[in-house]
């Protein structure tokens, strides 16, 4: 039943609460499409399922909202109560309670719509060029000899990185390439630091890091030129920009993305404990391999000792073997020689038996040749006579042969042969075919007898 039919029905019938809520829900779905709404987040809750539940309010009103896990994962930031946001949502009704709410499809920080759109455009452009493909990304070295850090000297992220590296790998030297990470000059400063590291080639991996912030604070890391420089850098780059929910274009083009600066430092090197564990494991493996090699060598030595004999015995043994081989070779040679001699005799006898009589065969070929020539001459004479007869008949039967005796063929203007002069009229055009060509003529008298 359609919404209008339900509405008309409600005029004359008493509705249940569930019927009323269903009609209101249908009205929302029918009349209200997706729309952008601005408001302040309050009562924000992230459920165990990953769905977001919150209230969106302004100075005069409030409405509940929900953003399901699949949509929330692509938001790029974790909203907090008090944040000003813009959401693209549709209005829906939760029928069991009769509460209407916003079902949010997309969320961005208020006033950041343009920046977000610019971020998406740059991201899509570089992705279409293949700069995000995993195939072009470089492998992070497992044991770097030196680690470079591109960030601000005053940033808290630098201290987090240095602390993590000192804890995990104090034996690895760290080289800092100072740069601005926020503001109008940050892009040029970041690119200069990366180029400096590229030219000096003194580190095996670069950490591009910055602490968290708003999209405006992190916007330098969304610059297209900076992203292209990161992509073509010959040194593997690990990005650690912002918090886990923050994403920048630099994260996508980097060879590895870390959720935080500290995580970037942890991904850049193996910890001392892990390195000790690996060394201990390698030593144990080497010991087992060495022990196994020694055991195998001992077994080979025992077998070799069992086979060890004196040189005199070896010479006697090899002399006996040599004599036996010579005897076998002589017997084999004699057998081969006798077999070949017998075969040659048989083949010679067969050749003498099957040898053809050349003179007799040549005489028979000459006889066949003469007979063939006689038959060919007879057939040619017969064929030529038949051809001449056919040619004579063809000439006699040719309808145009009479043209040579002074006759002609007359055609009217339609190409039909004229047989009756009575059917011709004055000034009618005709065509005469003579022996040596065609001539066009015109009839000048209706009665041809008057001309002579």
């Amino acid at each position: 039943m359609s919404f209008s039919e339900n509405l008309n029905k409600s005029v004359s019938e008493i509705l249940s609460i569930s019927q009323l809520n269903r009609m209101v829900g249908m009205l929302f779905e029918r009349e209200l499409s997706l729309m952008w709404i601005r408001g302040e987040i309050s009562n924000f809750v992230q459920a165990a399922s990953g769905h977001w539940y919150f209230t969106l309010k302004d100075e005069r009103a409030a409405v509940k909202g929900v953003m399901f896990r699949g949509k929330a994962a692509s938001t790029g930031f974790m909203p907090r109560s008090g944040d000003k946001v813009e959401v693209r949502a549709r209005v829906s009704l939760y029928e069991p309670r009769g509460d209407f709410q916003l079902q949010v499809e997309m969320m961005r920080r208020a006033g950041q719509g343009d920046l977000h759109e610019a971020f998406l455009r740059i991201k899509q452009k570089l992705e279409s060029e293949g700069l995000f493909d995993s195939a072009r990304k470089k492998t992070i070295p497992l044991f770097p000899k030196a680690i470079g850090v591109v960030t601000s000297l005053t940033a808290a992220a630098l201290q987090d990185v240095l602390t993590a590296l000192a804890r995990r790998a104090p034996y690895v030297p760290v080289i800092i390439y100072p740069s601005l990470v926020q503001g109008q000059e940050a892009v040029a400063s970041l690119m200069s630091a990366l180029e400096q590291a590229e030219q000096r080639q003194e580190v095996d991996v670069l950490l591009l890091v910055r602490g968290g912030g708003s999209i405006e604070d992190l916007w330098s890391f969304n610059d297209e030129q900076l992203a292209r420089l990161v992509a073509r850098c010959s040194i593997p780059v690990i990005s650690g920009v912002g918090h886990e929910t923050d994403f920048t274009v630099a994260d996508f083009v980097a060879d590895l993305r870390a959720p935080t600066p500290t995580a970037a430092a942890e991904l850049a090197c193996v910890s001392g404990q892990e390195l000790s564990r690996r060394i201990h494991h390698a030593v144990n493996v080497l010991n087992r391999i060495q022990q196994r090699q020694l055991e195998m060598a001992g077994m080979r030595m025992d077998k070799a000792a069992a086979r060890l004999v004196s040189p005199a015995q070896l010479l006697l043994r090899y002399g006996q073997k040599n004599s036996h081989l010579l005897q076998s070779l002589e017997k084999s040679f004699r057998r081969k020689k006798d077999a070949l001699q017998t075969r040659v005799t048989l083949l010679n006898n067969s050749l003498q038996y099957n040898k053809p009589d050349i003179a007799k065969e040549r005489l028979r070929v000459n006889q066949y040749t003469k007979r063939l020539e006689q038959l060919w001459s007879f057939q040619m004479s017969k064929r030529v006579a038949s051809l001449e007869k056919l040619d004579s008949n063809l000439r006699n039967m040719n309808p145009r042969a009479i043209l040579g005796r002074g006759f002609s063929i007359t055609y009217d203007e339609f190409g039909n042969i004229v047989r009756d002069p009575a059917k011709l009229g004055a000034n009618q055009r005709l065509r005469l075919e003579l022996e040596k060509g065609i001539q066009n003529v015109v009839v000048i008298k209706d009665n041809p007898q008057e001309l002579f």
Side-chain angles (χ1 to χ4, degrees):
M1 184 178 297
S2 66
F3 175 74
S4 57
E5 291 174 346
N6 278 330
L7 188 60
N8 293 332
K9 179 181 177 182
S10 64
V11 176
S12 56
E13 293 186 7
I14 299 176
L15 301 177
S16 65
I17 300 301
S18 59
Q19 289 175 324
L20 174 63
N21 287 350
R22 189 176 302 112
M23 290 176 61
V24 174
M26 292 172 61
L27 177 62
F28 284 164
E29 293 178 1
R30 181 184 181 88
E31 301 297 332
L32 298 177
S33 59
L34 279 170
M35 63 187 75
W36 281 102
I37 305 168
R38 179 186 292 110
E40 179 184 329
I41 294 283
S42 66
N43 301 323
F44 178 83
V45 175
Q46 182 179 18
S49 62
H51 305 329
W52 292 353
Y53 299 94
F54 53 87
T55 300
L56 197 63
K57 65 179 183 177
D58 59 14
E59 296 81 1
R60 300 181 180 179
V63 63
K64 292 182 179 180
V66 59
M67 194 171 189
F68 297 119
R69 181 178 59 184
K71 304 295 183 181
S74 61
T75 299
F77 68 96
M78 177 68 71
R80 301 178 180 85
S81 295
D83 287 351
K84 301 283 201 255
V85 296
E86 296 171 351
V87 298
R88 183 169 173 80
R90 60 169 50 89
V91 180
S92 63
L93 184 76
Y94 185 63
E95 294 182 9
R97 290 201 302 265
D99 296 336
F100 90 90
Q101 62 183 3
L102 299 179
Q103 186 173 327
V104 178
E105 301 288 327
M106 185 184 303
M107 179 184 294
R108 66 192 184 197
R109 299 184 188 277
Q112 297 175 352
D114 295 338
L115 289 179
H116 185 69
E117 294 296 330
F119 164 77
L120 293 178
R121 285 196 302 271
I122 297 173
K123 178 176 177 293
Q124 183 177 7
K125 178 180 179 181
L126 298 183
E127 185 176 13
S128 65
E129 296 179 12
L131 268 64
F132 299 172
D133 294 346
S134 57
R136 56 151 292 277
K137 297 192 176 185
K138 296 173 285 296
T139 303
I140 306 301
L142 187 60
F143 301 108
K145 297 179 181 179
I147 298 174
V149 183
V150 178
T151 190
S152 172
L153 292 176
T154 60
L158 176 59
Q159 298 304 318
D160 295 339
V161 168
L162 295 177
T163 300
L165 292 176
R167 182 184 72 253
R168 290 177 60 83
Y171 49 85
V172 178
V174 179
I175 299 176
I176 302 172
Y177 301 93
S179 170
L180 299 175
V181 293
Q182 184 175 340
Q184 295 181 351
E185 300 178 359
V187 173
S189 180
L190 288 167
M191 294 180 66
S192 176
L194 286 171
E195 291 171 350
Q196 183 182 15
E198 179 86 13
Q199 293 172 359
R200 291 165 61 174
Q201 290 291 318
E202 55 192 352
V203 297
D204 298 324
V205 63
L206 277 173
L207 306 184
L208 182 64
V209 297
R210 187 205 187 281
S214 64
I215 190 170
E216 292 97 338
D217 297 336
L218 304 179
W219 188 249
S220 299
F221 295 88
N222 290 322
D223 183 80
E224 180 178 346
Q225 298 304 318
L226 175 62
R228 294 185 183 277
L229 180 59
V230 172
R232 65 173 179 267
C233 182
S234 62
I235 305 173
V237 177
I238 301 176
S239 69
V241 180
H243 299 297
E244 185 174 358
T245 56
D246 295 325
F247 285 88
T248 65
V249 174
D251 293 327
F252 294 103
V253 297
D255 299 296
L256 182 63
R257 187 249 175 187
T260 63
T262 301
E266 293 174 351
L267 292 173
C269 60
V270 178
S271 67
Q273 293 180 350
E274 175 64 16
L275 186 59
S276 298
R277 186 192 67 78
R278 293 191 183 193
I279 294 174
H280 181 69
H281 175 72
V283 169
N284 291 335
V285 171
L286 288 175
N287 287 334
R288 289 196 298 270
I289 294 175
Q290 185 180 29
Q291 183 64 31
R292 180 61 177 168
Q293 292 293 332
L294 290 173
E295 293 173 355
M296 296 297 294
M299 294 174 63
R300 288 196 300 271
M301 186 177 65
D302 292 341
K303 291 181 180 180
R307 295 196 302 269
L308 185 63
V309 294
S310 66
Q313 290 177 335
L314 285 175
L315 288 174
L316 178 61
R317 183 184 304 172
Y318 287 138
Q320 294 173 349
K321 185 176 181 180
N322 186 39
S323 299
H324 177 71
L325 290 174
L326 287 174
Q327 293 175 3
S328 299
L329 182 61
E330 291 176 355
K331 291 180 181 179
S332 176
F333 178 75
R334 285 196 297 270
R335 284 197 300 269
K336 287 287 185 180
K337 179 181 177 181
D338 295 341
L340 289 174
Q341 186 64 43
T342 302
R343 185 174 181 184
V344 168
T345 302
L346 292 174
L347 291 174
N348 186 45
N349 294 337
S350 177
L351 179 62
Q352 295 298 326
Y353 177 78
N354 294 294
K355 182 178 180 181
D357 188 346
I358 303 294
K360 182 179 179 180
E361 294 299 328
R362 183 179 288 112
L363 178 61
R364 187 168 61 174
V365 169
N366 292 336
Q367 291 174 352
Y368 285 150
T369 302
K370 290 180 180 179
R371 290 178 59 186
L372 182 61
E373 290 175 350
Q374 293 172 357
L375 181 61
W376 170 258
S377 178
F378 173 74
Q379 290 293 333
M380 285 297 295
S381 300
K382 184 178 178 181
R383 297 292 181 182
V384 169
S386 176
L387 183 61
E388 291 175 350
K389 183 179 179 180
L390 290 173
D391 182 67
S392 177
N393 292 338
L394 182 61
R395 291 176 180 276
N396 293 333
M397 295 175 64
N398 186 0
R400 287 179 171 76
I402 60 174
L403 298 179
R405 299 198 295 271
F407 293 94
S408 65
I409 302 175
T410 305
Y411 300 90
D412 62 12
E413 60 270 28
F414 302 108
N416 300 318
I417 297 175
V418 178
R419 294 180 174 81
D420 187 359
K423 295 182 179 180
L424 299 176
N427 299 322
Q428 184 174 351
R429 294 182 179 275
L430 302 176
R431 181 164 54 89
L432 297 182
E433 183 177 356
L434 306 174
E435 179 186 11
K436 295 184 178 181
I438 295 175
Q439 180 65 46
N440 295 323
V441 299
V442 178
V443 177
I444 60 176
K445 292 291 186 176
D446 291 339
N447 189 358
Q449 298 178 356
E450 295 180 1
L451 298 175
F452 305 98

